């Protein structure tokens, strides 16, 4: 059976739901088709009864100003909780408090400021900080790039990072008390209120288009004919949809945009065994940074749940793409054991329940989030240019502001995309 619609949106993540709400509010007939059996995409909440709080296997923090997110939270009546607690690091071999996630080396900042031509962070460090005396600095910078941006340091743009690090945009933020799931449920209810149809378990296989219409075929055989479509899938998965005629230039542009990997886990223990770890008072621990495979560990401070979130990111996380859940669990125990200098088996006996998300292994994302490469050039603009004013590309990576890679970027891009479509009709 073929259904005819005004606008079809591929993907019910933050971008897809926001675009749909804005279009439907303006009177458009909108359908969202989503490959998964749930909305949210890279927002992946775990039911509260598992860990006792709104745990997140995908996005968790609200970063920076986040104007669109906070406006939506206000509409939804949700509460922002600023980050608090202490950041600790064992990167230099000794457990000590850190001021922030980003090292504050003066010479490094000066060299960043002086840079005129874009190079990768690895090349930048090699050029200016190759000496032995900079071993610690090189390691710190590389770990931030991998651990925070989930990026490959041989690819990520130094100029982009300069904007992030020198632009007074500190990396701290907060969380939504009720969790990101509540925000998306609000968006979903808004969509339904304005008449949007959301179809789950509908994976788009093919898009055939001419100058008049697009025909979208779902893996179950369903067909839609739409006047306009919005493609919100994550950058690496774009090539898994077969377009006729082929969208070769778009695929080429997408291949120039960096996309990092993250494996995230949450473990609940019998008790907070780490709070006197390594002879220090870690009762206010928020984040702990290390050189381990699971390089970042965090608590829900100021809440005192006996849980730790563990995070592996960047090229190291990519190496876990084929790992089974048991293998990931073992890797987590090894990292925790090395960080806290406690026998792995002692930690294992403390575990009550655990959940993991292997994002590079996820067929509908194939990674975690985007970053700008030193050779990205005009790839964003090329990808964002609609085809025949009919096929629009959207998602966190294509936000024109500075908050790409975040939920804010996805929501803001959803708004931008809806406005663009409304202008074109
Ligand atoms: C582990 C992790 C932690 C993160 N932490 C944070 C954080 O703390 N704060 C923050 O702001 N951001 C964070 N992010 C980033 C944030 O989650 C994303 O930027 C944002 O959610 C992206 O939304 P989106 O709508 O652009 O894409 P997505 O959420 O990926 O939505 C795209 C949708 O398209 C669907 N899809 C794919 N292929 C098809 C197909 N063929 N047919 C139909 N549907 C399809 C997918 O299933 C998905 O639902 C994190 C991401 C990850 C993975």
């Amino acid at each position: 059976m073929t259904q005819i619609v005004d606008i079809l949106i591929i993907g019910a993540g933050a971008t897809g739901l926001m675009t749909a709400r804005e279009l439907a509010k303006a009177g458009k007939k909108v359908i969202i088709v989503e490959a998964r059996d749930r909305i949210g995409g890279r927002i992946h909440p775990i039911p509260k009864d598992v860990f006792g709080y709104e745990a997140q296997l995908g996005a968790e923090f609200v970063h920076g100003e986040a104007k669109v997110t906070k406006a939506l939270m206000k509409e939804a009546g949700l509460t922002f909780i600023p980050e608090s607690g202490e950041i600790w690091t064992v990167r230099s071999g000794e457990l000590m408090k850190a001021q922030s996630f980003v090292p504050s080396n003066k010479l490094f900042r000066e060299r960043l400021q002086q840079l005129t031509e874009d190079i990768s962070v690895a090349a930048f460090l090699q050029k200016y900080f190759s000496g032995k005396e900079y071993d610690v600095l090189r390691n710190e910078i590389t770990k931030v790039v991998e651990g925070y941006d989930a990026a490959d340091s041989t690819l990520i743009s130094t100029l982009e990072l300069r904007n992030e690090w020198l632009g007074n945009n500190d990396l701290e933020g907060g969380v939504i008390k009720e969790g990101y799931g509540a925000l998306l449920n609000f968006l979903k209810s808004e969509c339904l209120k304005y008449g949007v149809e959301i179809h789950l378990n509908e994976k788009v296989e093919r898009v055939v288009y001419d100058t008049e219409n697009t025909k979208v075929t779902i893996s179950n055989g369903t067909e839609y004919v739409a006047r306009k479509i919005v493609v919100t899938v994550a950058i690496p998965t774009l090539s898994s949809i077969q377009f006729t005629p082929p969208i070769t230039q778009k695929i080429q542009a997408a291949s120039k945009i960096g996309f990092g990997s993250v494996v995230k886990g949450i473990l609940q223990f019998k008790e907070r065994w780490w709070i006197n770890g390594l002879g220090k008072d870690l009762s206010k621990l928020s984040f702990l940074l290390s050189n381990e495979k699971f390089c970042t560990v965090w608590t829900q401070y100021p809440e005192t749940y006996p849980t730790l979130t563990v995070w592996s990111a960047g090229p190291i996380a990519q190496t876990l793409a084929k790992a089974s859940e048991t293998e990931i669990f073992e890797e987590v125990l090894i990292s925790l054991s090395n960080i806290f200098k406690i026998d792995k088996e002692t930690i294992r006996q403390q575990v009550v329940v655990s959940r993991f998300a292997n994002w590079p292994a996820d067929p509908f994302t194939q990674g975690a989030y985007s970053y700008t490469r030193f050779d990205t050039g005009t790839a964003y603009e090329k990808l964002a240019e609609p085809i025949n004013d009919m096929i629009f590309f959207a998602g966190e990576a294509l936000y024109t502001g500075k908050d790409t890679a975040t939920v804010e970027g996805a929501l803001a891009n959803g708004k931008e995309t809806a406005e663009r479509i409304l202008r074109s009709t």
Side-chain angles (χ1 to χ4, degrees):
M1 203 188 74
T2 302
Q3 283 193 55
I4 297 171
V5 287
D6 275 354
I7 300 166
L8 180 137
I9 296 175
I10 305 177
T15 307
L17 290 168
M18 189 65 159
T19 312
R21 175 180 90 151
E22 298 300 298
L23 289 171
K25 224 169 141 180
K28 298 290 170 195
K29 170 88 187 114
V30 182
I31 282 187
I32 307 180
V33 288
E34 165 57 52
R36 299 177 203 265
D37 60 3
R38 60 172 180 86
I39 62 159
R42 283 171 268 171
I43 292 177
H44 186 7
I46 299 294
K48 194 175 172 182
D49 57 347
V50 178
F51 292 106
Y53 68 98
E54 309 290 347
Q56 309 290 326
L57 280 176
E60 180 167 345
F61 302 101
V62 179
H63 299 290
E65 219 182 345
K67 277 191 187 152
V68 180
T69 311
K70 286 186 181 159
L72 198 62
M73 283 174 62
K74 200 168 170 201
E75 272 188 72
L78 303 177
T79 314
F80 177 75
I81 302 185
E83 255 165 45
S84 59
E86 297 167 349
I87 304 172
W88 289 76
T89 176
V90 285
R91 280 192 191 138
S92 64
E94 199 190 319
L95 178 66
M96 57 177 85
K97 269 191 209 166
Q99 288 310 310
S100 84
F101 295 100
V102 178
S104 58
N105 184 289
K106 192 164 168 271
L107 187 60
F108 176 72
R109 295 173 78 89
E110 274 170 19
R111 287 271 185 259
L112 265 186
Q113 225 132 23
Q114 288 157 5
L115 190 70
T116 49
E117 204 176 312
D118 208 0
I119 52 176
S120 75
V121 167
F124 175 79
L125 290 173
Q126 188 55 38
K127 190 166 175 184
Y128 298 109
F129 299 97
S130 60
K132 210 163 167 22
E133 66 275 29
Y134 297 121
D135 279 0
V136 172
L137 179 73
R138 277 199 315 278
N139 181 53
E140 288 273 337
I141 305 291
T142 309
K143 288 293 164 198
V144 175
V145 162
E146 292 177 355
Y148 188 82
D149 298 287
D152 183 336
S153 65
T154 65
L155 291 176
I156 190 170
S157 148
T158 307
L159 288 182
E160 185 65 22
L161 218 72
R162 175 169 76 182
N163 296 339
E164 197 174 303
W165 289 11
L166 303 185
N168 292 329
N169 178 20
D170 68 358
L171 305 179
E172 285 156 32
V175 293
I176 302 173
K177 185 176 171 212
E178 301 82 357
Y180 264 122
L183 190 71
L184 280 214
N185 282 336
F186 171 73
L187 255 189
K188 179 184 163 187
S189 68
E190 286 278 292
C191 282
L192 298 178
K193 183 169 96 188
Y194 293 112
V196 176
E197 281 181 34
I198 303 175
H199 296 226
L200 301 178
N201 299 306
E202 293 209 355
K203 175 177 179 282
V204 173
E205 299 256 284
R206 269 195 317 281
V207 174
V208 180
Y209 63 98
D210 55 24
T211 49
E212 298 294 312
N213 278 312
T214 57
K215 191 164 88 183
V216 175
T217 307
I218 307 296
S219 51
N220 63 11
T222 306
E223 278 183 358
Y224 297 95
V225 171
R227 290 208 313 111
K228 292 183 192 291
I229 70 167
V230 184
V231 185
T232 77
V233 305
I235 296 280
T237 62
L238 190 56
S239 56
S240 65
I241 301 175
Q242 189 199 329
F243 282 81
T244 308
I247 53 163
T248 315
Q249 284 179 351
K250 301 290 181 197
I251 302 293
Q252 271 168 3
S255 73
K256 289 280 183 194
I257 298 172
F259 203 82
S261 286
V262 170
V263 177
K264 184 174 179 182
I266 307 165
L267 298 97
Q268 185 186 64
F269 301 96
K270 290 176 190 158
E271 58 190 2
R272 294 188 300 151
W273 51 266
W274 57 88
I275 59 170
N276 295 313
L278 299 164
K280 298 274 165 60
D281 174 10
L282 295 182
S283 58
K284 294 197 181 99
L285 175 71
S286 56
F287 288 90
L288 202 161
L289 316 173
S290 78
N291 295 326
E292 296 301 318
K293 202 170 259 188
F294 280 82
C295 60
T296 311
V297 172
W298 66 87
T299 68
Q300 295 299 313
Y301 187 85
E303 301 295 342
T304 54
Y305 305 113
T307 60
L308 289 178
T309 301
V310 292
W311 173 272
S312 179
I316 290 184
Q318 187 61 40
T319 67
L320 293 169
K322 292 203 166 69
S324 67
E325 192 151 320
T326 312
E327 287 164 339
I328 289 175
F329 183 66
E330 289 305 312
E331 288 292 351
V332 168
L333 291 184
I334 292 170
S335 292
L336 290 176
S337 164
N338 290 343
I339 292 169
F340 290 101
K341 312 247 178 300
I342 294 179
D343 176 49
K344 184 170 128 200
E345 297 313 312
T346 309
I347 300 175
R348 189 196 307 277
Q349 280 158 21
Q350 278 281 333
V351 179
V352 178
V353 55
S354 59
R355 291 279 192 283
F356 299 96
N358 188 343
W359 288 98
D362 181 313
F364 304 123
T365 306
Q366 297 176 28
Y369 40 83
S370 66
Y371 63 88
T372 304
R373 288 168 36 155
F374 72 92
D375 61 350
T376 291
T378 55
Y380 290 114
E381 291 80 357
K382 283 185 182 145
L383 185 54
E385 191 54 35
I387 299 174
N388 298 342
D389 241 355
M390 222 172 56
I391 302 180
F392 294 79
F393 297 88
E396 53 85 6
L398 293 179
Y399 177 46
T400 51
K402 63 178 171 50
D403 295 311
T404 53
T406 63
V407 175
E408 171 69 10
L411 292 171
N413 183 254
K415 275 188 85 172
E416 281 180 350
T417 305
E419 282 158 14
R420 192 168 191 174
I421 291 174
L422 291 171
R423 277 199 306 273
S424 76
T425 46

